[in-house]
Amino acid sequence: MDWVPLRVLEVITRKLRSEEYSMLPTDPQHSPSRSWAPHFHRRRHGCSWRSILHALTLRRLLFSLACVLILVFFAILCQGVPPSYEDIRVFERRLPQHSVAALTRTDSHPPRYLRFPGHLWGHGLNNVLQEALLMSYLAYVSNISFVFEDYTWSRTPLPWTIYDFALRPARIPLNAIISGPTAGGPISNTSQAPLAVSAEFYEHVCGGPDIIPYVISSANAPNDAEGSVMMDWWREQLVDVQDRCIEIDSTAHDLFDRFLFGGPRILSLWEPLSSSPTLTDFAWSPLVQSAVARNFALLQPRSAKDIYSTNSRSPLHGLVAVHLRRGDYTRHCPNLAKWGADYMGINQHPSLIDKFDPRPYANDTQLKESYYLEHCLPTTDQIVARLHEIRLQHPGLRRVYVLSNDWAWVLDGLKSALEDDGWEDLVSSVDIHLDAEQYYVATAVDMAIAEKAEVFVGNGFSSLSSNVVMLRMAKGIDPRSNRFL
């Protein structure tokens, strides 16, 4: 260290010594021979509350917090940035009903637009989908253009939100998930009902400062009536409104709430709804269908036609699709027993074979809960036994597809148990190959496969299972092929 100036070394040495040592006063009586020499001792660093407070200064705390946040930020980014679906948004903007010509019509019936600002958001896809289908149907029977919305997980102004320590799209365009009249697609029958438009287009037409939408409140709606009565009431409120921009204010009460979907009142709507273009022209989006086609090797169709056909009457022969809901259902299913809940409304359709009847266990809490769990959260042994029973009734079944949010290692255990029972193979949601855009609509991919399966075994309490059953029945598939756990 010859290059270090002597003065600098002296300053550093003095600084170090002043921190590590303290000079004691000399005492000639105790050190007669070296009373002239200073005595040093090493300063003790005790673990006192003062030293702790000194170490945990505000600056150091803020620095540590910043480091943690940076690490979490990079951990989230390392999992990837979700796609924007911009190409699909461009597709929606270019729908013919969004053209300038649609805005300048001079005929005697200019288009009217019906929007539901209080629509469901921040919930699972199937809660949102079942509501959107009924709202679309209401617009159809009222001869008004339905305003469809993005599938919205968060209303943050950012394009993404954080969920399970990963980024996910805050909004996904509806045409990334479904096609058909509800998403602005054409109507195949001879009806002159106007086509649905996007919320973006509605804002362009009706969002100006000089335009005041005609608002109808849900406060006086017959919310506890049969589904058909509710639909007729709303239609009467809408059919004579001549304003171009119409909105439903559902602040007082949800237009179509979970009690309607979760009970038999909705069955009064089944016949007109199932024969309407809302369901007969319903299709999964090209993005979803491409994911199904991409996984043809796992699904093993008899021919490519079974994969590419949008007609569910060409099923994946030999395949039984089973919906095993886990995750939050470990808490939800015992609560269903406490509430005395029944199957979802569509799952109570009289043409379906399997019925749910907890009445024999009404006076025994433990037996009642066991009965619910067997049908809502069955064990591996119960699943194997149930599928064995269904295979006896449908002898052509050979393979199993499992729609599930369960862990892969749990599904591996189920696969081994089913193969021991004679099934050829089990493929599940975790085996499906998806690209970045398909990944965030994976639930729809599962449902599209379940819709094509020769037999579907659903969870009667689930809105996903209810929607699959509804779509299969609307496409004319034998209702006896819809079973429950």
Side-chain angles (χ1 to χ4, degrees), residues 79 296 325 420:
Q79 299 184 59
F296 74 97
R325 177 73 176 266
D420 291 342

Side-chain angles (χ1 to χ4, degrees), residues 380 410-420 423-427 431:
T380 295
V410 176
L411 297 176
D412 286 341
L414 176 60
K415 178 177 181 178
S416 299
L418 288 173
E419 289 176 345
D420 291 342
W423 293 92
E424 291 183 6
D425 190 24
L426 180 146
V427 178
D431 300 311

Side-chain angles (χ1 to χ4, degrees), residues 325-346:
R325 177 73 176 266
R326 292 297 190 257
D328 60 325
Y329 263 40
T330 57
R331 302 182 303 274
H332 186 56
C333 293
N335 286 333
L336 293 174
K338 295 177 183 177
W339 301 332
D342 209 334
Y343 278 173
M344 294 289 292
I346 294 295

Side-chain angles (χ1 to χ4, degrees), residues 3 14 17 36 46 79 96 142 159 178 236 239 281 289 343 384:
W3 56 272
R14 185 181 297 118
R17 286 180 176 175
W36 54 269
Q79 299 184 59
S142 303
I178 68 171
E236 290 174 2
V239 69
D281 290 345
Q289 293 183 42
Y343 278 173
V384 172

Side-chain angles (χ1 to χ4, degrees), residues 233-470:
W233 187 90
W234 278 108
R235 182 180 178 277
E236 290 174 2
Q237 308 306 307
L238 291 166
V239 69
D240 293 328
V241 177
Q242 298 303 313
D243 297 60
R244 167 172 279 193
C245 306
I246 309 170
E247 294 184 1
I248 301 299
D249 177 10
S250 57
T251 305
H253 195 282
D254 290 339
L255 192 69
F256 303 118
D257 61 20
R258 60 188 177 91
F259 299 106
L260 174 66
F261 293 110
R265 291 187 293 127
I266 197 172
L267 294 177
S268 61
L269 274 173
W270 173 247
E271 291 302 327
L273 176 63
S274 62
S275 60
S276 73
T278 303
L279 292 187
T280 59
D281 290 345
F282 176 93
W284 296 107
S285 72
L287 179 65
V288 171
Q289 293 183 42
S290 68
V292 177
R294 165 66 181 84
N295 290 276
F296 74 97
L298 293 175
L299 300 175
Q300 301 177 33
R302 289 197 305 188
S303 70
K305 182 173 65 175
D306 294 343
I307 284 288
Y308 287 103
S309 174
T310 58
N311 184 358
S312 295
R313 295 188 186 184
S314 299
L316 295 169
H317 293 278
L319 181 69
V320 54
V322 186
H323 180 208
L324 300 180
R325 177 73 176 266
R326 292 297 190 257
D328 60 325
Y329 263 40
T330 57
R331 302 182 303 274
H332 186 56
C333 293
N335 286 333
L336 293 174
K338 295 177 183 177
W339 301 332
D342 209 334
Y343 278 173
M344 294 289 292
I346 294 295
N347 295 340
Q348 298 182 44
H349 194 279
S351 66
L352 300 173
I353 296 175
D354 300 320
K355 311 298 181 184
F356 183 77
D357 184 10
R359 289 176 298 178
Y361 314 102
N363 297 322
D364 192 318
T365 304
Q366 186 173 357
L367 285 178
K368 181 181 178 181
E369 181 171 301
S370 297
Y371 180 73
Y372 270 84
L373 293 181
E374 180 181 358
H375 294 276
C376 184
L377 197 71
T379 64
T380 295
D381 290 341
Q382 290 172 334
I383 296 168
V384 172
R386 180 60 176 150
L387 291 183
H388 183 90
E389 177 186 359
I390 290 176
R391 185 176 58 189
L392 294 177
Q393 300 171 16
H394 302 269
L397 299 177
R398 298 176 291 108
R399 294 170 289 110
V400 180
Y401 181 81
V402 176
L403 303 75
S404 184
N405 58 343
D406 211 343
W407 297 101
W409 61 269
V410 176
L411 297 176
D412 286 341
L414 176 60
K415 178 177 181 178
S416 299
L418 288 173
E419 289 176 345
D420 291 342
D421 191 54
W423 293 92
E424 291 183 6
D425 190 24
L426 180 146
V427 178
S428 71
S429 305
V430 299
D431 300 311
I432 295 296
H433 302 289
L434 303 172
D435 65 25
E437 289 190 330
Q438 294 164 348
Y439 175 80
Y440 293 98
V441 296
T443 299
V445 176
D446 272 347
M447 295 174 68
I449 295 172
E451 187 183 334
K452 287 178 172 292
E454 183 173 341
V455 173
F456 173 63
V457 181
N459 184 321
F461 302 100
S462 163
S463 57
L464 184 153
S465 290
S466 175
N467 285 340
V468 171
V469 169
M470 175 182 66

Side-chain angles (χ1 to χ4, degrees), residues 33 150 196 331 358 478:
S33 60
D150 287 348
R331 302 182 303 274
D478 188 345

